[in-house]
């Protein structure tokens, strides 16, 4: 089996300095997890992040309206087959090519109020 050579520290990063902090020194044998942010990450994603020595938030890629970056599909505790979407309205300043880090909540005060009323009965505190 052929392995790839390690990336040299002299390679220029793809992201801008505004979106990332200085890169810490590489640790031999360290595990790195890279993931796009989701509204409610799955347990398998959280386990992956917990097991990693380094965690990179991949937020300089295109925001996908039909993905889980701004919404989650929730099931009722009483009826697991009855599912409904919990979504946050978003504003994409550049339209479809907007990056995740550029996406903003559309009317945050309205989303907060609407989200509290829209909770399914099984999810109320």
């Amino acid at each position: 089996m052929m392995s790839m050579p390690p990336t040299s520290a002299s390679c220029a990063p793809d992201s801008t300095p505004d979106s990332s902090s200085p890169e810490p020194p590489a640790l031999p044998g360290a595990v790195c997890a890279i993931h796009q942010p989701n509204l409610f990450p799955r347990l398998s994603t959280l386990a992956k992040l917990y097991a990693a020595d380094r965690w990179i938030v991949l937020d300089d890629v295109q925001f996908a309206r039909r993905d889980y970056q701004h919404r989650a599909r929730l099931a009722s505790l009483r009826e697991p087959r009855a599912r409904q979407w919990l979504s946050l309205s978003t504003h994409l300043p550049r339209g479809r090519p907007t990056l995740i880090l550029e996406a903003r909540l559309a009317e945050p005060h309205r989303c907060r109020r609407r989200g509290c009323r829209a909770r399914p009965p099984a999810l109320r505190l």
Side-chain angles (χ1 to χ4, degrees), residues 5-62:
T7 304
S8 71
S10 64
C11 291
D14 289 336
S15 59
T16 63
D18 295 339
S19 67
S20 58
S21 60
E23 188 174 320
L27 300 173
V31 175
C32 179
I34 303 172
H35 206 275
Q36 293 180 16
N38 292 332
L39 180 59
F40 294 135
R42 295 177 179 215
L43 291 177
S44 59
T45 304
L46 295 175
K48 178 175 79 169
L49 299 178
Y50 180 76
D53 298 305
R54 304 264 187 221
W55 174 29
I56 298 174
V57 177
L58 184 63
D59 63 354
D60 57 354
V61 294
Q62 183 179 354

Side-chain angles (χ1 to χ4, degrees), residues 61-121:
V61 294
Q62 183 179 354
F63 182 90
R65 281 199 179 271
R66 294 183 173 256
D67 205 347
Y68 293 89
Q69 295 156 355
H70 71 295
R71 63 187 189 154
R73 195 163 185 196
L74 305 175
S76 168
L77 294 175
R78 294 185 196 115
E79 295 181 46
R81 291 185 184 186
R83 296 180 179 201
Q84 71 180 59
W85 287 102
L86 174 65
S87 300
L88 297 176
S89 299
T90 53
H91 169 67
L92 305 179
R94 295 189 305 124
R96 188 178 179 132
T98 299
L99 304 179
I100 294 172
L101 61 93
E102 298 169 330
R104 299 290 178 252
L105 286 176
E107 302 179 43
H109 63 283
R110 185 174 177 210
C111 292
R112 193 175 312 123
R113 186 177 60 226
R114 190 172 122 204
C116 291
R117 274 191 275 135
R119 280 191 201 145

